[in-house]
Amino acid sequence: MDTSVQAFWLGHSAFKLVSPEGTQIYVDPFLSGNPNTPDDWKDPDEADYILLTHGHGDHVGDTIDIAKKTGCQVVSIVELSGLLKKHGLPKEQAVEMNKGGTIEFDDFSVTMTSANHSSSFQGEYAGEPAGLIIRFEDDLSIYHMGDTNIFYDLELYGDLYEPDIALVPMGDYYTMGPDEATSAMDLLRPDYAVPIHYGTFPVLTGDPETFKELVEESTDTEVWIPDAGEDFLAD
Ligand code: NI
Ligand code: MN
């Protein structure tokens, strides 16, 4: 990939992205309680932004602790943003948005999309679940699909946003499994796909190798299966 963005999968749906200028972005930082997060990634000392797809514990994870420690901005849908503040996120660090909107930050932008799932935080309704399209100044676009099943709008998102890389939940049980996620790639048509939300808990039985085989035999998308903590954009 022709980009100097760094991208690390940290187990489950958690990622750290680093812009070419060094902006540190976490997405769905479920780290300290995540059995697949490498030990040295469990307690970040620095962060500039946290982006959240929805309110479930395996996505919000350590958000409030990291935010308090680092002073980072936390971007999420309106209702979840309200709940995070109620649970201790300092007001000035909360950035609320909604679907269809794009916010330009220092050297990247975030567009919030639909996801077909549910969302709650600490037992309260947390607004709708979302996906996030993250675009960097060198034109790299990464679509974190959040937790979702398949929906036809993915075809529109493919046309509108032309994602280079899709981060695709395929562990089954709470999201798509490999078969449905393969059909989702057929609609979305990213250049690359990275399977996520598998193997964390015993019920998440969807196999990333099966996903890779199915996607690569039926679409033009190439599937990468990174190890946790590895920069999968490095040459
Ligand atoms: Ni969820
Ligand atoms: Mn989840």
Side-chain angles (χ1 to χ4, degrees):
M1 280 244 76
D2 185 21
T3 179
S4 42
V5 173
Q6 294 173 278
F8 305 88
W9 178 62
L10 302 178
H12 204 60
S13 297
F15 286 84
K16 182 181 184 181
L17 307 173
V18 184
S19 79
E21 293 77 13
T23 304
Q24 303 187 60
I25 304 158
Y26 284 86
V27 186
D28 286 359
F30 167 52
L31 305 174
S32 64
N34 183 338
N36 292 336
T37 302
D39 283 342
D40 45 348
W41 288 92
K42 283 184 184 284
D43 186 19
D45 292 320
E46 295 178 12
D48 298 304
Y49 294 90
I50 293 173
L51 315 178
L52 296 176
T53 62
H54 66 294
H56 289 151
D58 57 320
H59 297 261
V60 173
D62 302 291
T63 293
I64 293 175
D65 289 341
I66 297 169
K68 284 181 174 167
K69 185 171 170 184
T70 64
C72 70
Q73 300 291 106
V74 178
V75 180
S76 66
I77 205 161
V78 178
E79 292 82 0
L80 176 57
S81 196
L83 288 178
L84 292 170
K85 285 184 272 191
K86 185 169 145 186
H87 287 269
L89 176 67
K91 270 194 199 65
E92 62 279 8
Q93 289 172 246
V95 179
E96 59 173 41
M97 67 184 300
N98 217 320
K99 293 185 281 185
T102 298
I103 303 183
E104 305 278 347
F105 294 104
D106 308 331
D107 51 3
F108 69 100
S109 70
V110 178
T111 301
M112 187 168 273
T113 70
S114 291
N116 196 333
H117 187 67
S118 65
S119 181
S120 57
F121 178 67
Q122 306 278 345
E124 289 185 80
Y125 173 70
E128 293 205 0
L132 300 169
I133 294 176
I134 304 154
R135 274 173 292 191
F136 292 92
E137 288 176 341
D138 65 357
D139 276 344
L140 179 75
S141 61
I142 299 178
Y143 177 17
H144 193 306
M145 297 177 72
D147 281 358
T148 192
N149 67 9
I150 194 171
F151 54 103
Y152 258 119
D153 291 357
L154 292 171
E155 188 169 10
L156 288 173
Y157 292 155
D159 292 337
L160 269 173
Y161 300 117
E162 301 181 326
D164 296 304
I165 304 169
L167 312 176
V168 187
M170 44 56 65
D172 217 331
Y173 202 89
Y174 293 117
T175 68
M176 303 185 279
D179 287 304
E180 189 170 323
T182 297
S183 299
M185 293 304 95
D186 201 32
L187 292 174
L188 183 66
R189 296 155 282 126
D191 293 332
Y192 303 94
V194 172
I196 65 174
H197 212 277
Y198 66 86
T200 325
F201 314 115
V203 295
L204 302 184
T205 55
D207 174 24
E209 297 290 348
T210 304
F211 173 68
K212 180 178 169 71
E213 264 172 52
L214 292 171
V215 168
E216 291 184 352
E217 84 190 9
S218 64
T219 76
D220 293 328
T221 297
E222 182 181 332
V223 175
W224 293 334
I225 306 177
D227 291 331
E230 166 200 13
D231 176 6
F232 58 84
L233 293 178
D235 298 322

